[in-house]
Amino acid sequence: MLAAAIATLPAKAADTPSMTAVTALPPGELPVRVRVALRVLNILRIAEVAGQGRLSIEVTQRWTDSRLRFDPIARGFARADYVGPDADAYLKTIWTPQLAVDNQTGDKTSRTMAVSVHSDGDVTLIERYESDFRFAMNLAAFPFDRQNLTLSMSLPRYAKQEAILLATEEDRKLSDVENTLSVADWKAERPRFANEEAVGWNARFYSRLNATVQVLRHSEQYILRIFVPILAVLTVSIFILWTPELTGKEKGTQIFSSMLALAALSFTFEASFPGAISLNTPVAQIISLGYFYLIVVLLSDVVLSRLIAAERGHVAAWLALQRHLRWALPAIMAIVCIGATMRALPA
């Protein structure tokens, strides 16, 4: 990659263009086009409920400034490279876009810089750092959700008539996500770019470039941890329906013990997976329906058992209804739970 190549080249002050302060916009056609590429080196943390994440990123900016042109034959090289402190010092002497990430909430740490200036005035600025960012999260499909981690980049010092951000096809090819991430429960896709306008405090319009990395949760890792315990608790209803020799008191004890187990699972899931129960997720829906289902199973079985034992009305009809409910109630609950899960699956 370009960053690694630049990092291996020593900066030679004697072989570089003159470092005279240049702060005005580059001369020529306006707006100045600042091309941006993004590489996500690592996703260190995703806090879904808080709507925050910590990323290690590499942002590449490219623009052209004719004032930085030089004669490659006279100087003996076609490109001047600056790395680390030399890059920071050099950037203070030239015009830079002053790119900002609007949803960045933390300071930049582990920051490294590299700058390349070509003889035709093309400038490449590569900045690599870690920081915290704020994201809009939607956990309605947990644990089958996918989240969009969007970095909103803008040029707060320059209106869109002066400078704009864009991502060319070359920049999109350079943009990528590393395969190995610190967040083991997620898989990330390549960044997508979209331009939009932002209104500044002085009612001027500014250029904004949104770089979105979509992350998909590994939902299969949650089956054993979430759905199997819920299924184990709800299977008590089958035992109640298919064991007629149990007394009403024994059945009531079993059902209320299962409801307490569901409540304990709710607290456990919320502590282990924040938002799993407090938000309208499939897990929360299944547990809520589970309470209702267990009560229906208990009432229907007890009422029918009493009617049959007392020989009131059409006993044969009550027996037929009881036999059908043994299959119908678990089947209806299974269909409803599967439907709630299928609605949450990504398209």
Side-chain angles (χ1 to χ4, degrees), residues 304-342:
L304 288 175
S305 297
R306 290 295 180 88
L307 291 175
I308 294 171
E311 297 183 353
R312 294 180 180 177
H314 300 282
V315 177
W318 300 132
L319 286 171
L321 179 59
Q322 188 180 51
R323 287 194 299 269
H324 283 91
L325 287 180
R326 290 175 180 175
W327 296 98
L329 289 178
I332 292 173
M333 182 61 184
I335 292 172
V336 171
C337 292
I338 293 173
T341 302
M342 293 297 292

Side-chain angles (χ1 to χ4, degrees), residues 22-36:
V22 179
T23 57
L25 283 165
E29 182 182 356
L30 293 179
V32 178
R33 288 168 172 78
V34 180
R35 300 174 294 278
V36 177

Side-chain angles (χ1 to χ4, degrees), residues 173-313:
K173 291 180 180 179
L174 290 175
S175 303
D176 202 357
V177 179
E178 292 295 324
N179 294 326
T180 303
L181 302 175
S182 295
V183 285
D185 292 345
W186 298 89
K187 177 183 178 181
E189 298 180 347
R190 293 177 64 94
R192 305 190 311 266
F193 294 91
N195 287 94
E196 68 176 19
E197 289 184 347
V199 181
W201 63 272
N202 55 359
R204 301 176 69 188
F205 289 95
Y206 294 81
S207 173
R208 174 177 289 167
L209 181 66
N210 292 327
T212 301
V213 177
Q214 189 173 78
V215 291
L216 291 78
R217 194 189 299 270
H218 290 298
S219 56
E220 64 276 4
Q221 299 183 11
Y222 292 82
I223 294 177
L224 289 176
R225 291 186 283 177
I226 294 180
F227 293 103
V228 171
I230 296 176
L231 179 63
V233 172
L234 294 181
T235 50
V236 173
S237 63
I238 300 177
F239 178 75
I240 299 297
L241 293 170
W242 287 85
T243 313
E245 60 270 16
L246 291 178
T247 64
K249 182 178 180 180
E250 291 172 333
K251 293 178 180 180
T253 301
Q254 293 285 345
I255 290 295
F256 286 113
S257 296
S258 299
M259 294 177 67
L260 290 176
L262 278 181
L265 285 177
S266 299
F267 287 111
T268 302
F269 292 157
E270 187 63 25
S272 302
F273 316 107
I277 304 300
S278 59
L279 301 176
N280 189 28
T281 65
V283 179
Q285 294 174 9
I286 292 173
I287 289 181
S288 299
L289 289 172
Y291 295 119
F292 179 73
Y293 166 70
L294 291 173
I295 293 175
V296 170
V297 167
L298 177 62
L299 291 178
S300 61
D301 186 79
V302 170
V303 170
L304 288 175
S305 297
R306 290 295 180 88
L307 291 175
I308 294 171
E311 297 183 353
R312 294 180 180 177

Side-chain angles (χ1 to χ4, degrees), residues 11-125:
K12 298 181 180 180
D15 296 333
T16 58
S18 175
M19 290 189 180
T20 57
V22 179
T23 57
L25 283 165
E29 182 182 356
L30 293 179
V32 178
R33 288 168 172 78
V34 180
R35 300 174 294 278
V36 177
L38 172 70
R39 290 183 61 223
V40 178
L41 306 177
N42 198 0
I43 301 178
L44 303 169
R45 183 183 71 254
I46 297 178
E48 300 97 313
V49 177
Q52 294 181 345
R54 185 168 184 83
L55 276 62
S56 174
I57 61 175
E58 179 184 277
V59 181
T60 301
Q61 305 172 55
R62 295 183 298 150
W63 68 91
T64 300
D65 191 339
S66 60
R67 294 167 297 190
L68 302 179
R69 293 175 181 171
F70 59 90
D71 186 354
I73 298 177
R75 294 188 178 274
F77 56 87
R79 190 185 73 193
D81 298 316
Y82 307 84
V83 182
D86 293 334
D88 286 322
Y90 181 73
L91 289 174
K92 296 177 181 178
T93 68
I94 66 173
W95 179 87
T96 58
Q98 301 293 317
L99 178 73
V101 181
D102 297 336
N103 57 326
Q104 181 178 332
T105 59
D107 296 330
K108 297 179 180 179
T109 60
S110 303
R111 179 175 174 269
T112 57
M113 298 281 292
V115 183
S116 292
V117 181
H118 298 258
S119 59
D120 59 357
D122 286 347
V123 182
T124 301
L125 167 61

